[in-house]
Amino acid sequence: MFQIDFSAPVPVHFVGIGGISMSALAELLHKQGFRVSGSDLKPTPLTEHLCSLGITISYPQQAENITNEHSVVIFTAAVHPDNPELVRAKELGLPVLERKDLLGQIMKQYRYVAGVSGSHGKTTTTSMLSLMMIEGNLDPTVLVGGVLDGIGGNLRMGSSSYLVAEACEYCNSFLSFYPSDAIILNIEAEHLDFFHDLEEIRRSFRKYAELLPSHGTLVMNGSIDRLSELTKDLPARTVTYGICDTAENCSRYDYAATAVSFDENGFGSYDLYENGSLLGRVSLKVIGKHNISNSLAAAALARTYGVSFEAISAAALHYTGTHRRFEYKGLANGIRVYDDYAHHPSEISATLEAARACVTGTQRLWCVFQPHTFSRTKAFLHEFAESLSLADVVVLADIYSASREKDPGDISSADIARLLKEKGNKVYHFHSFAEIEKFLLENGSSSDLLITMGAGDIVSVAESLIHG
């Protein structure tokens, strides 16, 4: 594998530079003196930001973008082997490096590396932990899979020996990383286009935990099924966290939240216990019980790094969410419009349950959902119907057509609609965003709450509703 010498910057080209992770890595190398270029399918706010820094980006991806001037070409698992730039790089004999390997090599440059993993909640927890460490004056470098206003984007360049980054299990990417410490938020059946089943996913997380050194700390959700199988005989220290009904039950976890409550906005607060002792009350500016759990995980690792409770509680109040995580977009004909990245049934349920607290009286909760990947839709068809039924009205878009799979012809959004109708839910399915927008504007009522949801481009519906 090609090894980058970070003390001798060279020309680097990113295939698909506009991705949320790729763009952060490109900016990091640019700020370390590398001559960075890249390509993507079309301009986006992320690519426009990179261009403003002086990075050259070409549209679309084509062989001519790769020359002998490039010392290494970076790509992701989403780039197909027949990509013209990747083909050209190999023809020229240029070194190619996958994104996960680049991130792994970057991690080696830091003494303390916090890798935040789990089937769901990585971006939020990474963001919360980063703000806690910043508030605690640890000055970390941060790589987050979303746009976090608190750091001005998806990258923060610190000057300390601390790095915080998301660690995704898809294609076993996180097994190429070098964490000193880690968080495992949850383990569920996900990415079944790569993993065979949940047991294979559990084995992958176990291998990730085994990467930690003996001086490291693994923060584990104490409610994960068969926890001991994942933690037994690990070289690193394991600490657990969880939510308890009463203070007396807090001894079950090393870090516990109890006396959980929610205000009129759905924002949560709780008493934080550390090894059975009350540290104080933490209040959040994001909704839902799932974010109580995310903040608890972040607080557990922050405490391991010596961050004070006062810094943790202050950071929790400063965090108002990352873009595309129950992000308030504005009003459209009196309808409150939000957007969320949820694309797995568990994520959908958590978001809709939290949103329900923001709906009162005759107001309705609308969910405009765009399924992401055919394999995920087929594997969780009944679970999608169950989770979406938490909304009063469901509007379905077609399965995201630009996903990493080809249409197998045996699954569509109409299958979700059929199951929802059988359950007695109000559901509508449209093939174009224009049809969806027209329907919403004609049928939504003032003060209804509407969430566009999915990992594709459904956010454009929310933005079109707001801006016209």
Side-chain angles (χ1 to χ4, degrees):
M1 181 193 305
F2 180 79
Q3 297 292 320
I4 290 181
D5 183 353
F6 291 91
S7 67
V10 294
V12 179
H13 183 86
F14 285 78
V15 182
I17 198 170
I20 193 66
S21 176
M22 289 282 274
S23 61
L25 293 172
E27 183 175 348
L28 185 148
L29 291 189
H30 170 77
K31 290 182 174 178
Q32 290 188 343
F34 287 77
R35 182 153 62 88
V36 176
S37 64
S39 64
D40 218 304
L41 301 178
K42 60 182 180 180
T44 66
L46 287 174
T47 59
E48 290 171 359
H49 168 69
L50 294 177
C51 288
S52 73
L53 301 176
I55 294 174
T56 301
I57 301 179
S58 303
Y59 311 98
Q61 295 170 357
Q62 52 190 356
E64 292 77 11
N65 295 333
I66 305 298
T67 71
N68 280 316
E69 293 183 0
H70 297 119
S71 295
V72 60
V73 174
I74 311 297
F75 68 102
T76 72
V79 174
H80 294 166
D82 61 354
N83 179 281
E85 295 188 4
L86 203 56
V87 170
R88 181 59 173 161
K90 292 178 180 179
E91 288 175 350
L92 293 174
L94 299 176
V96 294
L97 194 64
E98 195 170 338
R99 178 204 67 87
K100 63 183 178 66
D101 297 313
L102 170 61
L103 180 51
Q105 291 184 26
I106 289 171
M107 287 179 173
K108 286 184 176 181
Q109 312 306 306
Y110 293 83
R111 181 178 180 184
Y112 302 103
V113 177
V116 181
S117 70
S119 301
H120 321 295
K122 291 184 290 293
T123 297
T124 295
T125 307
T126 301
S127 300
M128 289 177 168
L129 174 60
S130 299
L131 294 182
M132 290 174 186
M133 292 173 66
I134 292 168
E135 190 73 28
N137 297 316
L138 296 183
D139 192 22
T141 292
V142 176
L143 291 156
V144 62
V147 177
L148 175 61
D149 290 336
I151 63 172
N154 56 350
L155 170 73
R156 179 187 190 270
M157 294 293 291
S159 58
S160 73
S161 56
Y162 289 90
L163 171 70
V164 185
E166 291 186 35
C168 182
E169 76 276 17
Y170 182 57
C171 294
N172 283 325
S173 291
F174 60 3
L175 299 186
S176 296
F177 297 168
Y178 295 88
S180 63
D181 308 282
I183 293 173
I184 298 181
L185 297 163
N186 37 62
I187 302 177
E188 295 188 21
E190 171 66 310
H191 300 305
L192 296 179
D193 57 328
F194 175 77
F195 293 108
H196 181 260
D197 54 22
L198 178 58
E199 289 307 305
E200 185 179 4
I201 296 171
R202 285 176 58 87
R203 289 193 293 271
S204 183
F205 274 96
R206 167 69 193 199
K207 290 178 181 177
Y208 176 64
E210 290 172 353
L211 296 177
L212 299 183
S214 58
H215 62 268
T217 297
L218 174 63
V219 175
M220 288 285 290
N221 185 333
S223 65
I224 291 177
D225 188 40
R226 291 149 47 207
L227 187 67
S228 61
E229 293 179 3
L230 300 165
T231 60
K232 184 180 179 181
D233 297 327
L234 288 176
R237 178 178 72 115
T238 299
V239 299
T240 61
Y241 71 92
I243 300 174
C244 303
D245 294 334
T246 65
E248 289 73 23
N249 291 329
C250 287
S251 59
R252 294 170 53 195
Y253 307 112
D254 298 298
Y255 290 87
T258 190
V260 173
S261 63
F262 299 91
D263 66 15
E264 65 277 7
N265 297 309
F267 300 157
S269 61
Y270 61 95
D271 288 341
L272 173 60
Y273 280 79
E274 178 183 67
N275 298 320
S277 298
L278 176 64
L279 294 181
R281 192 154 184 85
V282 176
S283 297
L284 306 179
K285 290 295 184 183
V286 286
I287 70 170
K289 188 176 182 180
H290 61 296
N291 278 322
I292 297 285
S293 182
N294 290 336
S295 69
L296 186 56
L301 191 50
R303 289 292 290 168
T304 297
Y305 288 150
V307 178
S308 69
F309 170 76
E310 290 73 22
I312 287 172
S313 60
L317 276 175
H318 293 158
Y319 178 70
T320 57
T322 49
H323 294 200
R324 299 223 62 204
R325 270 67 177 182
F326 202 74
E327 178 188 6
Y328 178 65
K329 307 297 287 189
L331 291 172
N333 289 357
I335 304 169
R336 291 174 291 164
V337 179
Y338 292 79
D339 178 67
D340 195 274
Y341 191 71
H343 54 283
H344 183 280
S346 297
E347 298 168 344
I348 294 169
S349 294
T351 300
L352 291 179
E353 287 171 357
R356 177 61 65 186
C358 304
V359 179
T360 59
T362 59
Q363 298 170 359
R364 293 173 297 175
L365 175 59
W366 292 67
C367 180
V368 183
F369 180 61
Q370 178 189 43
H372 185 263
T373 78
F374 297 99
S375 61
R376 182 183 289 117
T377 305
K378 187 173 182 178
F380 299 112
L381 180 61
H382 290 274
E383 290 84 353
F384 275 123
E386 188 66 28
S387 59
L388 288 167
S389 68
L390 295 172
D392 296 311
V393 187
V394 178
V395 178
L396 294 169
D398 287 338
I399 297 173
Y400 184 48
S401 60
S403 67
R404 53 184 173 256
E405 302 171 333
K406 292 183 179 180
D407 186 351
D410 62 351
I411 191 71
S412 76
S413 294
D415 295 300
I416 301 177
R418 172 179 52 81
L419 292 178
L420 283 167
K421 287 178 181 177
E422 291 175 358
K423 292 170 65 66
N425 293 104
K426 290 184 178 179
V427 57
Y428 304 88
H429 175 209
F430 298 99
H431 298 293
S432 73
F433 286 178
E435 291 176 288
I436 291 175
E437 292 162 17
K438 182 175 184 292
F439 177 80
L440 295 174
L441 290 173
E442 290 177 352
N443 293 276
S445 300
S446 178
S447 297
D448 282 353
L449 191 154
L450 183 153
I451 309 174
T452 55
M453 188 176 287
D457 55 357
I458 193 67
V459 62
S460 64
V461 171
E463 291 168 347
S464 181
L465 290 172
I466 300 303
H467 304 296

